[in-house]
Amino acid sequence: MIGDNPHSDIAGGNNYKSPYGSKWDTILVRTGVWSDPQGEPAHKPTRIKDTIWDAVTWALQREGWAGDEGNKLQAPTKERKADGSHLVWNPAALDEMVEEKE
C-alpha cells in the first residue's frame, strides 16, 4: 500500500488481513498529507519514500523485477505531439508508449 496519509493509507495497509495470508508492506510518501516536520507518523510504514515513483520502484525491485536484460527502471515521461496529444510512458507495460488525448 502506497499512501501519503498515515491515519488512513498506512493504518489501512498495516491492518489489512489478506484472505490468502499475504502480508502487505506500507510505503508512506512525502508528497501530500504527511511530511517530516510533523514528526514520526502515527502509524509506522514499512518504508518512507520521497515520491510515488520512488515507492513503486522500491516495491518492484523488492519483488525481484530487474527489467528486461538488466535495463533500469525509467521515470515516466511525457512529450507533446503536433496534434495536441501526448506520448506517455506506460509503467504498466514497462516498455511501451501509449497515446493520450487531453
Side-chain angles (χ1 to χ4, degrees), residues 53-54 57 73-79 87-91 97:
W53 178 253
D54 295 337
T57 300
L73 296 173
Q74 298 177 8
T77 58
K78 219 177 204 186
E79 86 185 41
L87 284 176
V88 180
W89 180 74
N90 178 357
M97 296 294 276

Side-chain angles (χ1 to χ4, degrees), residues 4-21:
D4 67 353
N5 188 328
H7 294 286
S8 59
D9 304 326
I10 303 308
N14 287 346
N15 292 318
Y16 178 72
K17 303 291 185 230
S18 168
Y20 303 102

Side-chain angles (χ1 to χ4, degrees), residues 14-52:
N14 287 346
N15 292 318
Y16 178 72
K17 303 291 185 230
S18 168
Y20 303 102
S22 59
K23 180 191 175 302
W24 279 24
D25 287 314
T26 52
I27 306 170
L28 181 61
V29 293
R30 295 178 174 106
T31 56
V33 173
W34 180 84
S35 62
D36 289 310
Q38 296 172 1
E40 287 293 314
H43 299 274
K44 186 175 172 76
T46 306
R47 290 279 184 272
I48 298 175
K49 296 292 182 180
D50 289 330
T51 66
I52 292 170

Side-chain angles (χ1 to χ4, degrees), residues 61 65-74 94-95:
Q61 290 172 342
W65 193 89
D68 296 334
E69 300 173 17
N71 292 335
K72 292 187 178 197
L73 296 173
Q74 298 177 8
L94 298 174
D95 63 352

